[in-house]
mmCIF file of all heavy atoms in Angstrom:
data_model
loop_
_atom_site.group_PDB
_atom_site.id
_atom_site.type_symbol
_atom_site.label_atom_id
_atom_site.label_comp_id
_atom_site.label_asym_id
_atom_site.label_seq_id
_atom_site.Cartn_x
_atom_site.Cartn_y
_atom_site.Cartn_z
ATOM 1 N N THR A 30 -112.574 30.915 18.013
ATOM 2 C CA THR A 30 -113.421 30.461 16.910
ATOM 3 C C THR A 30 -114.677 29.757 17.392
ATOM 4 O O THR A 30 -115.729 29.845 16.752
ATOM 5 C CB THR A 30 -112.616 29.507 15.994
ATOM 6 O OG1 THR A 30 -111.411 30.152 15.583
ATOM 7 C CG2 THR A 30 -113.413 29.127 14.759
ATOM 8 N N PHE A 31 -114.574 29.072 18.530
ATOM 9 C CA PHE A 31 -115.699 28.285 19.027
ATOM 10 C C PHE A 31 -116.004 28.669 20.470
ATOM 11 O O PHE A 31 -115.092 28.832 21.293
ATOM 12 C CB PHE A 31 -115.394 26.781 18.956
ATOM 13 C CG PHE A 31 -115.307 26.248 17.555
ATOM 14 C CD1 PHE A 31 -114.111 26.269 16.862
ATOM 15 C CD2 PHE A 31 -116.421 25.716 16.927
ATOM 16 C CE1 PHE A 31 -114.024 25.776 15.571
ATOM 17 C CE2 PHE A 31 -116.348 25.221 15.639
ATOM 18 C CZ PHE A 31 -115.146 25.255 14.959
ATOM 19 N N ASP A 32 -117.279 28.782 20.770
ATOM 20 C CA ASP A 32 -117.736 29.099 22.125
ATOM 21 C C ASP A 32 -118.107 27.792 22.817
ATOM 22 O O ASP A 32 -119.245 27.348 22.787
ATOM 23 C CB ASP A 32 -118.939 30.032 22.068
ATOM 24 C CG ASP A 32 -119.373 30.501 23.455
ATOM 25 O OD1 ASP A 32 -118.575 30.340 24.401
ATOM 26 O OD2 ASP A 32 -120.504 31.000 23.580
ATOM 27 N N ILE A 33 -117.115 27.147 23.434
ATOM 28 C CA ILE A 33 -117.317 25.842 24.063
ATOM 29 C C ILE A 33 -116.822 25.895 25.499
ATOM 30 O O ILE A 33 -116.009 26.758 25.853
ATOM 31 C CB ILE A 33 -116.565 24.724 23.295
ATOM 32 C CG1 ILE A 33 -115.084 25.076 23.138
ATOM 33 C CG2 ILE A 33 -117.207 24.467 21.950
ATOM 34 C CD1 ILE A 33 -114.278 24.014 22.427
ATOM 35 N N PRO A 34 -117.316 24.999 26.361
ATOM 36 C CA PRO A 34 -116.874 24.988 27.763
ATOM 37 C C PRO A 34 -115.360 24.817 27.876
ATOM 38 O O PRO A 34 -114.749 24.069 27.108
ATOM 39 C CB PRO A 34 -117.618 23.783 28.355
ATOM 40 C CG PRO A 34 -118.823 23.608 27.478
ATOM 41 C CD PRO A 34 -118.374 23.988 26.108
ATOM 42 N N GLU A 35 -114.771 25.490 28.835
ATOM 43 C CA GLU A 35 -113.325 25.460 29.013
ATOM 44 C C GLU A 35 -112.812 24.047 29.275
ATOM 45 O O GLU A 35 -111.718 23.677 28.844
ATOM 46 C CB GLU A 35 -112.921 26.384 30.161
ATOM 47 C CG GLU A 35 -111.425 26.611 30.275
ATOM 48 C CD GLU A 35 -110.857 27.314 29.059
ATOM 49 O OE1 GLU A 35 -111.482 28.287 28.593
ATOM 50 O OE2 GLU A 35 -109.792 26.874 28.569
ATOM 51 N N ARG A 36 -113.610 23.238 29.969
ATOM 52 C CA ARG A 36 -113.145 21.880 30.294
ATOM 53 C C ARG A 36 -113.025 21.005 29.056
ATOM 54 O O ARG A 36 -112.372 19.957 29.094
ATOM 55 C CB ARG A 36 -114.096 21.229 31.304
ATOM 56 C CG ARG A 36 -115.501 20.980 30.777
ATOM 57 C CD ARG A 36 -116.330 20.140 31.738
ATOM 58 N NE ARG A 36 -117.694 19.949 31.275
ATOM 59 C CZ ARG A 36 -118.731 20.705 31.614
ATOM 60 N NH1 ARG A 36 -118.530 21.735 32.434
ATOM 61 N NH2 ARG A 36 -119.936 20.483 31.135
ATOM 62 N N GLU A 37 -113.676 21.396 27.952
ATOM 63 C CA GLU A 37 -113.646 20.585 26.733
ATOM 64 C C GLU A 37 -112.590 21.053 25.744
ATOM 65 O O GLU A 37 -112.202 20.290 24.849
ATOM 66 C CB GLU A 37 -115.015 20.632 26.040
ATOM 67 C CG GLU A 37 -116.160 20.073 26.864
ATOM 68 C CD GLU A 37 -117.497 20.249 26.154
ATOM 69 O OE1 GLU A 37 -117.495 20.757 25.005
ATOM 70 O OE2 GLU A 37 -118.537 19.897 26.727
ATOM 71 N N ARG A 38 -112.123 22.296 25.883
ATOM 72 C CA ARG A 38 -111.324 22.898 24.820
ATOM 73 C C ARG A 38 -109.990 22.186 24.604
ATOM 74 O O ARG A 38 -109.515 22.069 23.465
ATOM 75 C CB ARG A 38 -111.096 24.377 25.112
ATOM 76 C CG ARG A 38 -110.415 25.107 23.953
ATOM 77 C CD ARG A 38 -110.346 26.607 24.183
ATOM 78 N NE ARG A 38 -111.672 27.200 24.013
ATOM 79 C CZ ARG A 38 -112.275 27.937 24.925
ATOM 80 N NH1 ARG A 38 -111.682 28.147 26.092
ATOM 81 N NH2 ARG A 38 -113.461 28.456 24.699
ATOM 82 N N GLY A 39 -109.369 21.701 25.668
ATOM 83 C CA GLY A 39 -108.061 21.069 25.534
ATOM 84 C C GLY A 39 -108.109 19.832 24.655
ATOM 85 O O GLY A 39 -107.378 19.714 23.663
ATOM 86 N N LEU A 40 -108.976 18.869 24.992
ATOM 87 C CA LEU A 40 -109.030 17.624 24.223
ATOM 88 C C LEU A 40 -109.687 17.824 22.870
ATOM 89 O O LEU A 40 -109.305 17.181 21.886
ATOM 90 C CB LEU A 40 -109.772 16.552 25.022
ATOM 91 C CG LEU A 40 -109.057 16.043 26.270
ATOM 92 C CD1 LEU A 40 -109.819 14.886 26.900
ATOM 93 C CD2 LEU A 40 -107.633 15.596 25.953
ATOM 94 N N LEU A 41 -110.685 18.715 22.802
ATOM 95 C CA LEU A 41 -111.256 19.024 21.494
ATOM 96 C C LEU A 41 -110.199 19.646 20.582
ATOM 97 O O LEU A 41 -110.116 19.317 19.396
ATOM 98 C CB LEU A 41 -112.443 19.972 21.643
ATOM 99 C CG LEU A 41 -113.783 19.349 22.035
ATOM 100 C CD1 LEU A 41 -114.823 20.444 22.285
ATOM 101 C CD2 LEU A 41 -114.275 18.393 20.965
ATOM 102 N N GLY A 42 -109.396 20.523 21.146
ATOM 103 C CA GLY A 42 -108.336 21.137 20.359
ATOM 104 C C GLY A 42 -107.320 20.116 19.898
ATOM 105 O O GLY A 42 -106.846 20.168 18.752
ATOM 106 N N PHE A 43 -106.980 19.177 20.763
ATOM 107 C CA PHE A 43 -106.032 18.137 20.363
ATOM 108 C C PHE A 43 -106.610 17.312 19.221
ATOM 109 O O PHE A 43 -105.911 16.988 18.249
ATOM 110 C CB PHE A 43 -105.706 17.240 21.556
ATOM 111 C CG PHE A 43 -104.737 16.134 21.227
ATOM 112 C CD1 PHE A 43 -103.411 16.414 20.976
ATOM 113 C CD2 PHE A 43 -105.157 14.820 21.159
ATOM 114 C CE1 PHE A 43 -102.510 15.404 20.657
ATOM 115 C CE2 PHE A 43 -104.278 13.802 20.853
ATOM 116 C CZ PHE A 43 -102.943 14.098 20.603
ATOM 117 N N GLY A 44 -107.890 16.981 19.326
ATOM 118 C CA GLY A 44 -108.526 16.222 18.256
ATOM 119 C C GLY A 44 -108.547 16.986 16.949
ATOM 120 O O GLY A 44 -108.253 16.438 15.875
ATOM 121 N N VAL A 45 -108.904 18.263 17.003
ATOM 122 C CA VAL A 45 -108.927 19.089 15.793
ATOM 123 C C VAL A 45 -107.524 19.204 15.194
ATOM 124 O O VAL A 45 -107.335 19.080 13.972
ATOM 125 C CB VAL A 45 -109.507 20.484 16.103
ATOM 126 C CG1 VAL A 45 -109.268 21.445 14.943
ATOM 127 C CG2 VAL A 45 -110.996 20.377 16.403
ATOM 128 N N GLY A 46 -106.527 19.447 16.037
ATOM 129 C CA GLY A 46 -105.156 19.555 15.545
ATOM 130 C C GLY A 46 -104.676 18.275 14.893
ATOM 131 O O GLY A 46 -104.026 18.301 13.834
ATOM 132 N N LEU A 47 -104.977 17.140 15.505
ATOM 133 C CA LEU A 47 -104.600 15.845 14.935
ATOM 134 C C LEU A 47 -105.228 15.664 13.557
ATOM 135 O O LEU A 47 -104.556 15.259 12.592
ATOM 136 C CB LEU A 47 -105.033 14.723 15.882
ATOM 137 C CG LEU A 47 -104.694 13.278 15.534
ATOM 138 C CD1 LEU A 47 -104.638 12.430 16.809
ATOM 139 C CD2 LEU A 47 -105.696 12.656 14.575
ATOM 140 N N VAL A 48 -106.524 15.963 13.462
ATOM 141 C CA VAL A 48 -107.237 15.755 12.197
ATOM 142 C C VAL A 48 -106.741 16.708 11.114
ATOM 143 O O VAL A 48 -106.467 16.285 9.980
ATOM 144 C CB VAL A 48 -108.756 15.927 12.404
ATOM 145 C CG1 VAL A 48 -109.489 15.904 11.064
ATOM 146 C CG2 VAL A 48 -109.293 14.826 13.311
ATOM 147 N N VAL A 49 -106.615 17.984 11.450
ATOM 148 C CA VAL A 49 -106.167 18.966 10.461
ATOM 149 C C VAL A 49 -104.775 18.615 9.952
ATOM 150 O O VAL A 49 -104.508 18.629 8.737
ATOM 151 C CB VAL A 49 -106.186 20.385 11.067
ATOM 152 C CG1 VAL A 49 -105.476 21.378 10.143
ATOM 153 C CG2 VAL A 49 -107.618 20.833 11.311
ATOM 154 N N SER A 50 -103.870 18.268 10.855
ATOM 155 C CA SER A 50 -102.507 17.937 10.457
ATOM 156 C C SER A 50 -102.484 16.663 9.615
ATOM 157 O O SER A 50 -101.789 16.593 8.587
ATOM 158 C CB SER A 50 -101.622 17.771 11.700
ATOM 159 O OG SER A 50 -100.282 17.530 11.328
ATOM 160 N N ASN A 51 -103.227 15.665 10.018
ATOM 161 C CA ASN A 51 -103.262 14.412 9.256
ATOM 162 C C ASN A 51 -103.824 14.653 7.855
ATOM 163 O O ASN A 51 -103.335 14.093 6.869
ATOM 164 C CB ASN A 51 -104.122 13.382 9.997
ATOM 165 C CG ASN A 51 -103.776 11.957 9.643
ATOM 166 O OD1 ASN A 51 -102.606 11.585 9.569
ATOM 167 N ND2 ASN A 51 -104.782 11.142 9.409
ATOM 168 N N TRP A 52 -104.839 15.509 7.767
ATOM 169 C CA TRP A 52 -105.438 15.822 6.477
ATOM 170 C C TRP A 52 -104.451 16.582 5.585
ATOM 171 O O TRP A 52 -104.360 16.326 4.380
ATOM 172 C CB TRP A 52 -106.706 16.644 6.708
ATOM 173 C CG TRP A 52 -107.477 16.931 5.468
ATOM 174 C CD1 TRP A 52 -108.333 16.109 4.796
ATOM 175 C CD2 TRP A 52 -107.470 18.171 4.747
ATOM 176 N NE1 TRP A 52 -108.855 16.752 3.700
ATOM 177 C CE2 TRP A 52 -108.347 18.023 3.646
ATOM 178 C CE3 TRP A 52 -106.822 19.386 4.931
ATOM 179 C CZ2 TRP A 52 -108.583 19.045 2.732
ATOM 180 C CZ3 TRP A 52 -107.056 20.407 4.013
ATOM 181 C CH2 TRP A 52 -107.924 20.230 2.935
ATOM 182 N N LEU A 53 -103.686 17.491 6.171
ATOM 183 C CA LEU A 53 -102.679 18.217 5.404
ATOM 184 C C LEU A 53 -101.574 17.287 4.908
ATOM 185 O O LEU A 53 -101.092 17.432 3.772
ATOM 186 C CB LEU A 53 -102.078 19.340 6.255
ATOM 187 C CG LEU A 53 -102.986 20.542 6.553
ATOM 188 C CD1 LEU A 53 -102.302 21.484 7.533
ATOM 189 C CD2 LEU A 53 -103.357 21.277 5.275
ATOM 190 N N VAL A 54 -101.157 16.345 5.743
ATOM 191 C CA VAL A 54 -100.130 15.381 5.333
ATOM 192 C C VAL A 54 -100.583 14.627 4.087
ATOM 193 O O VAL A 54 -99.780 14.328 3.193
ATOM 194 C CB VAL A 54 -99.820 14.397 6.482
ATOM 195 C CG1 VAL A 54 -98.967 13.229 5.982
ATOM 196 C CG2 VAL A 54 -99.099 15.110 7.616
ATOM 197 N N ASN A 55 -101.865 14.328 4.012
ATOM 198 C CA ASN A 55 -102.399 13.592 2.871
ATOM 199 C C ASN A 55 -102.134 14.313 1.546
ATOM 200 O O ASN A 55 -102.016 13.667 0.502
ATOM 201 C CB ASN A 55 -103.905 13.385 3.060
ATOM 202 C CG ASN A 55 -104.526 12.541 1.982
ATOM 203 O OD1 ASN A 55 -104.073 11.431 1.705
ATOM 204 N ND2 ASN A 55 -105.561 13.059 1.340
#
Side-chain angles (χ1 to χ4, degrees):
T30 306
F31 292 88
D32 185 15
I33 54 179
E35 190 63 44
R36 65 171 177 266
E37 298 176 3
R38 187 173 287 125
L40 292 186
L41 279 174
F43 180 71
V45 168
L47 183 155
V48 172
V49 169
S50 184
N51 204 44
W52 185 79
L53 289 173
V54 169
N55 184 53

